[in-house]
């Protein structure tokens, strides 16, 4: 069985591509009944003209079985075949345009409603995103299936002695919803080093200085370098205000680090019993969680042990198997499995 994975144009991002390259790596192993291939869209989605050009590009490809991997949901509209799987990662584009009803309706129909109606099977990566789709789309979201993300198998267990005197805290992402400002405030006068991955604004820099935070910053680094940062840290902090999935939670657990994260979905769904949960809107509670992880060895070890067990549900082999089961269902071309 040949399945073509349609991915967005280079320059749009890399997280979705990393995820599905891991999955297709499993499907390419000897003995697999799936033959994966890739179709990269030629245009970044910047206006209706580029969207149309991408749709035409997919149509000209004459694909038999298709998996639209995410972000470019509208590409389903170009598929000549009905044997299509669409994966939706989040509803960020609808949230961002919720106060502009014209743009909101365009994105709602072109990115969500029409592609969902056209695809045979629609999946999403978390209960959180599924609930958001229900909020925005109503009954149209009822048939959508949840298939979680897998972590990159390049992440492996790497135990490290805990530096209780001056712990190394790793924080991934600096967009506003990553909540760096509250994390900085929570760490005031706490002896530690904060390692930040992402660009910093002048406001961020001023806040770091004002709260006397010892920090290192990393931008535009490779996956190998990111893995190395996980291995070098003592605690992973991920107190985000909004996520579609929350991959740093899993990545920290796989490497064997205690994770402090937000007590909201999807982090609570993904992290299971292997994370310390805090209120991301409460600086005092964020500090409480970090202090407990750093000062309570028994609690810290319990989180690490539970985290390692939790990640077994998110291996690339397990997630790939879920997608293979869906591809097999595509052989019934009369079925519209993923939608109502």
């Amino acid at each position: 069985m040949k399945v073509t994975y349609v991915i967005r144009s280079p320059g749009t991002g890399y997280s979705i591509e990393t995820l599905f390259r891991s999955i297709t790596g499993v499907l390419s192993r000897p003995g697999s009944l799936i033959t994966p291939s890739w179709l990269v869209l030629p245009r970044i989605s910047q206006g209706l003209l580029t969207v149309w050009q991408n749709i035409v590009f997919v149509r000209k490809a004459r694909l038999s079985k298709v998996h639209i991997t995410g972000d470019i949901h509208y590409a389903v509209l170009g598929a000549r075949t009905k044997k299509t799987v669409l994966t939706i990662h989040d509803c960020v584009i609808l949230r961002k345009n919720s106060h502009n009803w014209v743009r909101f309706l365009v994105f709602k129909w072109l990115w969500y409603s029409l592609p969902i109606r056209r695809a045979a099977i629609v999946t999403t990566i978390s209960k959180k995103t599924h609930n958001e789709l229900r909020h925005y789309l109503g009954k149209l979201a009822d048939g959508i299936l949840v298939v979680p993300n897998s972590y990159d198998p390049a992440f492996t267990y790497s135990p490290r002695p805990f530096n209780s005197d001056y712990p190394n805290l790793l924080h991934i992402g600096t967009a506003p919803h990553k909540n760096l400002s509250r994390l900085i405030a929570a760490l005031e006068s706490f002896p530690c080093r904060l390692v930040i991955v992402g660009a910093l604004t002048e406001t961020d820099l001023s806040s770091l200085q004002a709260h006397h935070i010892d920090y290192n910053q990393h931008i535009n680094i490779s996956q190998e370098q990111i893995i190395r940062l996980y291995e070098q840290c003592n605690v992973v902090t991920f107190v985000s205000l909004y996520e579609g999935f929350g991959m740093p939670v899993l990545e920290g657990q796989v490497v064997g680090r205690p994770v402090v994260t937000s007590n909201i979905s999807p982090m609570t769904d993904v992290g299971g019993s292997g994370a310390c949960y805090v209120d991301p809107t409460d600086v005092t509670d964020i500090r409480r969680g970090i202090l407990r992880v750093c000062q309570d060895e028994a609690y810290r070890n319990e989180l690490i042990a539970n985290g390692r067990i939790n990640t077994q549900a998110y291996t690339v082999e397990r997630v790939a198997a879920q997608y293979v089961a869906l591809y097999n269902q595509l052989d019934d071309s009369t079925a519209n499995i993923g939608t109502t």
Side-chain angles (χ1 to χ4, degrees):
M1 179 193 306
K2 181 177 180 180
V3 178
T4 301
Y5 291 79
V6 180
I7 63 174
R8 55 195 174 177
S9 177
T12 309
Y14 65 88
S15 58
I16 294 174
E17 292 71 24
T18 299
L19 166 66
F20 280 97
R21 288 204 182 276
S22 295
I23 291 172
T24 56
V26 170
L27 300 181
S28 299
R29 293 173 182 173
S32 174
L33 300 178
I34 305 294
T35 302
S37 62
W38 289 77
L39 183 70
V40 181
L41 295 188
R43 309 284 184 179
I44 295 176
S45 305
Q46 294 178 326
L48 293 179
L49 176 59
T50 55
V51 167
W52 173 250
Q53 290 170 328
N54 283 337
I55 291 174
V56 171
F57 178 77
V58 174
R59 188 163 185 80
K60 288 181 178 179
R62 296 181 177 273
L63 308 173
S64 55
K65 291 184 179 180
V66 184
H67 191 154
I68 309 298
T69 58
D71 196 18
I72 33 86
H73 311 154
Y74 61 80
V76 175
L77 306 178
R80 291 176 180 268
T81 177
K82 292 184 178 180
K83 297 180 180 181
T84 58
V85 176
L86 166 64
T87 294
I88 298 174
H89 294 263
D90 56 48
C91 296
V92 169
I93 199 168
L94 295 181
R95 287 168 54 90
K96 286 183 177 179
N97 292 281
S98 59
H99 300 297
N100 184 326
W101 67 270
V102 174
R103 288 177 59 85
F104 177 84
L105 289 177
V106 169
F107 284 118
K108 178 180 177 180
W109 283 97
L110 194 54
W111 255 259
Y112 294 90
S113 298
L114 293 179
I116 289 173
R117 292 179 188 277
R118 181 70 176 83
I121 301 174
V122 183
T123 71
T124 190
I125 61 173
S126 67
K127 294 178 182 178
K128 162 66 179 301
T129 301
H130 195 189
N131 289 336
E132 280 195 294
L133 290 167
R134 287 181 183 274
H135 170 73
Y136 288 117
L137 304 175
K139 292 184 178 180
L140 186 59
D142 286 350
I144 294 176
L145 310 172
V146 176
V147 178
N149 286 341
S150 60
Y151 62 85
D152 187 339
F155 285 83
T156 58
Y157 181 58
S158 179
R160 178 184 180 88
F162 193 86
N163 183 353
S164 56
D165 294 328
Y166 207 79
N168 197 331
L169 277 55
L170 177 63
H171 177 84
I172 305 291
T174 56
H177 67 276
K178 299 298 183 180
N179 208 23
L180 177 60
S181 60
R182 288 192 178 93
L183 176 62
I184 291 171
L187 293 175
E188 184 170 25
S189 301
F190 179 63
C192 68
R193 172 167 294 162
L194 180 61
V195 179
I196 303 168
V197 177
L200 295 172
T201 65
E202 290 298 326
T203 301
D204 294 331
L205 294 170
S206 297
S207 182
L208 287 163
Q209 183 177 9
H211 290 91
H212 308 288
I213 306 297
D214 177 11
Y215 74 95
N216 285 335
Q217 178 197 12
H218 301 268
I219 58 175
N220 299 323
I221 59 176
S222 66
Q223 184 77 333
E224 291 76 15
Q225 290 171 306
I226 290 176
I227 293 172
R228 184 62 178 157
L229 291 178
Y230 275 95
E231 293 173 346
Q232 292 173 339
C233 80
N234 298 117
V235 180
V236 173
T237 58
F238 192 67
V239 291
S240 179
L241 299 171
Y242 173 86
E243 294 293 328
F245 186 76
M247 187 60 74
V249 175
L250 277 186
E251 292 169 343
Q253 290 178 337
V254 171
V255 176
R257 300 298 179 268
V259 178
V260 178
T261 190
S262 306
N263 62 357
I264 59 175
S265 182
M267 277 69 82
T268 51
D269 304 321
V270 172
S273 60
C276 172
Y277 296 105
V278 299
D279 181 350
T281 65
D282 186 338
V283 170
T284 301
D285 200 44
I286 295 172
R287 184 180 180 87
R288 174 201 60 79
I290 293 172
L291 287 176
R292 183 181 182 189
V293 166
C294 291
Q295 297 173 355
D296 188 335
E297 181 179 3
Y299 176 64
R300 186 169 65 241
N301 290 337
E302 180 183 1
L303 291 182
I304 293 172
N306 290 343
R308 294 191 67 195
I309 295 171
N310 181 64
T311 59
Q312 295 174 13
Y314 299 93
T315 64
V316 65
E317 291 81 7
R318 194 160 181 173
V319 173
Q322 293 182 61
Y323 280 124
V324 169
L326 297 181
Y327 301 151
N328 288 331
Q329 294 182 55
L330 289 177
D331 287 328
D332 181 5
S333 60
T334 62
N336 199 32
I337 303 164
T339 59
T340 55

